[in-house]
């Protein structure tokens, strides 16, 4: 597998493409949250598998992790990370629950987290497919019952030269002047990254203003 070489301009273009997709995701989430949704600019990192697993494992004891696979022309996944405080606030806002207790999720709470992940991942994937003219789709989100590394084995173990491109995004929504941050990890394998770069490079600066330098 060829090791990807990404210029700063190409990083900026990928960020801009993601921002367009995330803006649609934020609008969709706002309908559920019944309030304003804000997004921070994604950060792009190229990291090795062991570093990705370490990154994810740091959240496992403190967050509920919802996993969605991205399939089709691209191979990747999204992880949405919900802390106990996030779940309490979301339960109050979206489910109108009162005196929400931290701990094991109720059926309604688990369904809510799955639906939020489905909305955000679905809107993001749809926009990426439209912009990059790719045939991709998100699989139904799930709450892994085992170690998260086991759930990621399809994208990790089956690609021995895998070097994921990781985007870290903070989704934030406000309600009654209080905010909730929802960390989102979006990552693709090396083959997908190369496909994305080929698509970007094929656009040409004359046909795509995103590739124009200032």
């Amino acid at each position: 597998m060829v090791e990807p070489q990404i210029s700063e301009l190409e990083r900026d273009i990928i960020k801009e493409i993601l921002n367009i997709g995330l803006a649609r995701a934020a609008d969709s989430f706002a309908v559920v949250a019944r309030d304003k949704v804000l997004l921070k600019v994604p950060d792009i990192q190229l990291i090795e598998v062991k570093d990705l697993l370490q990154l994810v494992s740091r959240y496992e004891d403190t967050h509920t992790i919802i996993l969605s696979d991205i399939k089709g022309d691209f191979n990747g996944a999204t992880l949405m990370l919900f802390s106990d405080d996030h779940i309490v606030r979301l339960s109050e806002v979206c489910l109108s629950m009162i005196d929400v207790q931290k701990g094991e999720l109720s059926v309604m709470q688990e369904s809510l987290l799955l639906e939020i992940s489905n909305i955000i991942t679905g809107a993001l994937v749809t926009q990426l497919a439209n912009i990059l003219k790719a045939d991709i789709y998100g699989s139904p989100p799930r709450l892994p019952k085992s170690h998260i590394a086991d759930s990621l084995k399809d994208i990790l173990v089956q690609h021995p030269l895998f070097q994921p491109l990781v985007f870290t995004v903070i989704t934030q929504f406000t309600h009654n002047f209080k905010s909730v941050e929802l960390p989102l990890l979006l990552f693709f394998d090396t083959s997908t990254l190369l496909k994305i770069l080929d698509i970007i490079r094929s656009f040409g600066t004359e046909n795509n203003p995103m590739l124009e330098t200032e």
Side-chain angles (χ1 to χ4, degrees):
M1 179 71 67
V2 178
E3 183 174 345
Q5 299 295 324
I6 308 177
S7 69
E8 286 303 313
L9 175 59
E10 287 166 344
R11 284 178 182 267
D12 290 341
I13 293 169
I14 293 174
K15 283 186 177 183
E16 184 58 31
I17 291 172
L18 282 177
N19 278 331
I20 295 171
L22 289 166
R24 175 61 61 86
D27 291 341
S28 299
F29 184 29
V31 176
V32 176
R34 298 192 297 275
D35 215 329
K36 183 168 55 179
V37 175
L38 306 172
L39 293 172
K40 294 183 180 179
V41 177
D43 181 37
I44 298 178
Q45 304 175 49
L46 276 171
I47 63 175
E48 296 180 1
V49 172
K50 60 181 180 64
D51 295 323
L52 173 62
L53 294 178
Q54 289 175 358
L55 175 65
V56 172
S57 66
R58 288 203 296 268
Y59 287 100
E60 280 196 292
D61 293 334
T62 57
H63 288 67
T64 297
I65 300 177
I66 304 295
L67 170 66
S68 295
D69 294 321
I70 298 173
K71 299 181 178 180
D73 292 340
F74 298 165
N75 186 40
T78 64
L79 296 178
M80 290 208 68
L81 312 169
F82 298 88
S83 72
D84 285 345
D85 288 338
H86 300 159
I87 294 170
V88 168
R89 186 65 50 78
L90 288 166
S91 299
E92 293 171 345
V93 172
C94 301
L95 298 176
S96 300
M97 295 177 67
I98 301 174
D99 296 327
V100 182
Q101 300 299 311
K102 298 179 182 179
E104 187 173 351
L105 295 177
S106 69
V107 174
M108 287 182 61
Q109 287 174 314
E110 181 173 332
S111 296
L112 173 63
L113 301 189
L114 291 171
E115 181 60 21
I116 290 172
S117 182
N118 189 49
I119 289 171
I120 292 179
T121 299
L124 174 59
V125 168
T126 297
Q127 286 298 95
L128 290 179
N130 291 338
I131 295 170
L132 297 173
K133 309 301 181 185
D135 182 14
I136 57 175
Y137 60 94
S139 64
R142 61 189 187 276
L143 175 61
K145 303 301 183 182
S146 59
H147 196 63
I148 191 66
D150 295 333
S151 299
L152 294 175
K153 64 183 179 181
D154 286 344
I155 196 171
L156 298 176
V157 177
Q158 293 182 11
H159 300 275
L161 298 180
F162 180 93
Q163 184 183 27
L165 177 67
V166 178
F167 305 91
T168 56
V169 181
I170 302 297
T171 304
Q172 182 183 79
F173 80 88
T174 59
H175 182 73
N176 294 335
F177 305 104
K178 296 179 180 179
S179 64
V180 175
E181 290 190 345
L182 302 175
L184 167 66
L185 300 180
L186 165 66
F187 55 92
F188 296 112
D189 65 13
T190 303
S191 176
T192 294
L193 173 56
L194 291 172
K195 289 179 183 178
I196 292 174
L197 290 174
D198 284 343
I199 293 170
I200 290 174
R201 291 163 183 168
S202 70
F203 283 160
T205 56
E206 294 182 0
N207 299 322
N208 196 310
M210 286 191 302
L211 294 180
E212 295 179 358
T213 56
E214 296 183 354

